[in-house]
Amino acid sequence: MAVPCADAQPAWALALAALGLLVSARAAARLALWLYAAFLRPAKPLRRRYGEWAVVTGATDGIGRALASHLAAAGLGLVLVGRSAEKLAAVSAEVTERHPGARVRTFLLDLAADGLSTRVSALGELVRGLDVGVLVNNAGACYPYARYFHELEEALARDMVRLNVEAVTQVTHAVLPGMVERGRGAIVNVGSGSASVLPSCPLHTVYAATKAYVDTFSRSLYVEYKSKGIDVQCQTPMYVATKMASIRNPSFLAPSPEAYARAAIRYIGYEPRCSPYWPHALWSLVSLLPGPVADRVILSMALDGRAKGKAKDARKKKGQ
């Protein structure tokens, strides 16, 4: 008669241990892959892989301006799209000074103005004969500061939808056919962690909703066009020290546009969604909190931003 071993573990305990081992191994693998992507993975050779030119919208300030310089450093010619002729000329001069021999063209286009389809069609005609390898949809609009939905001006909501949704859609539609014809290309849509990292974004509701569109739009295009040699990516930064974010001084969690662009350029052509600046990944820890707790934390931060914004507005009115 067989005698059971005193040290034998019940089957459920062994299964639980195996499950824990699998979960730990998966977490370790994900961490290793993230560390590799954040610090060791080389940037793709953009010009050789995708083509000779890059189109950058919102190229006169912030992330777009910094990315334009890095794309020129990678050897790509630039088509800079913006709504200020003076600023476009300044960025063009800046790029050619930093990168002698860089080819730069400018296209004046207010993506929030009426007649968007006609103007975007003209942009499509401009780039039709160019070997456009990279498209960066960077132009966008946000709230000046946090506010309740019922406090949101109709014009501001309209501009956010037009810039963050309609313009991204139409510019992509204008540039993509050439990439399909050539069988290569990379599209980078600048989304936001407010829509893909945080569980909610109260007091920035319309902005986050438009960026959720960018995220889904990008992911679906990634699947749709991967087999055609076109890499589509949504980059999801959190705070960056730009005019749009109303942050003057860069910090560890809110880098300068230049610091963000250095990280962003290394991620082009890889995963369909990414947060290139690695400290922004710390924001994902908020999602580990229970839902109601995370919502309260985010709402508290938004209410603080609303109070500061209203106080700033009051000081401006008082000084007039």
Side-chain angles (χ1 to χ4, degrees), residues 20 55-56 64 67 80 103 123 131 167 175 184 214 217-218 246 263 267 269 290 305 310 319:
V55 176
V56 184
L67 272 173
L80 306 178
R103 297 170 295 170
L123 173 63
D131 180 16
V175 176
R184 60 179 186 172
V214 174
F217 178 66
S218 303
S246 299
Y267 273 77
K310 288 175 72 69

Side-chain angles (χ1 to χ4, degrees), residues 24-34:
S24 298
R26 182 173 181 267
R30 291 180 65 182
L31 176 61
L33 289 172
W34 180 82

Side-chain angles (χ1 to χ4, degrees), residues 186-208:
I187 298 172
V188 179
N189 296 323
V190 179
S192 172
S194 65
S196 55
V197 176
L198 301 182
S200 65
C201 196
L203 278 64
H204 287 92
T205 299
V206 174
Y207 172 75

Side-chain angles (χ1 to χ4, degrees), residues 46-125:
L46 300 181
R47 180 186 171 103
R48 186 170 73 246
R49 171 69 180 82
Y50 297 117
E52 298 182 1
W53 288 83
V55 176
V56 184
T57 69
T60 57
D61 286 299
I63 292 172
R65 185 171 188 164
L67 272 173
S69 182
H70 281 275
L71 290 167
L76 279 77
L78 299 176
V79 178
L80 306 178
V81 181
R83 62 181 179 179
S84 168
E86 184 178 351
K87 287 185 177 182
L88 282 171
V91 176
S92 178
E94 177 184 288
V95 168
T96 53
E97 181 179 352
R98 287 186 179 182
H99 311 287
R103 297 170 295 170
V104 182
R105 300 185 183 186
T106 61
F107 188 83
L108 189 64
L109 173 57
D110 184 351
L111 291 167
D114 293 333
L116 179 62
S117 296
T118 300
R119 296 294 289 153
V120 171
S121 295
L123 173 63
E125 288 298 323

Side-chain angles (χ1 to χ4, degrees), residues 218-237:
S218 303
R219 176 70 189 193
S220 298
L221 288 182
Y222 169 83
V223 176
E224 196 170 335
Y225 287 95
K226 184 69 176 176
S227 64
K228 300 182 185 300
I230 300 167
D231 296 318
V232 183
Q233 179 183 79
C234 181
Q235 296 195 357
T236 58

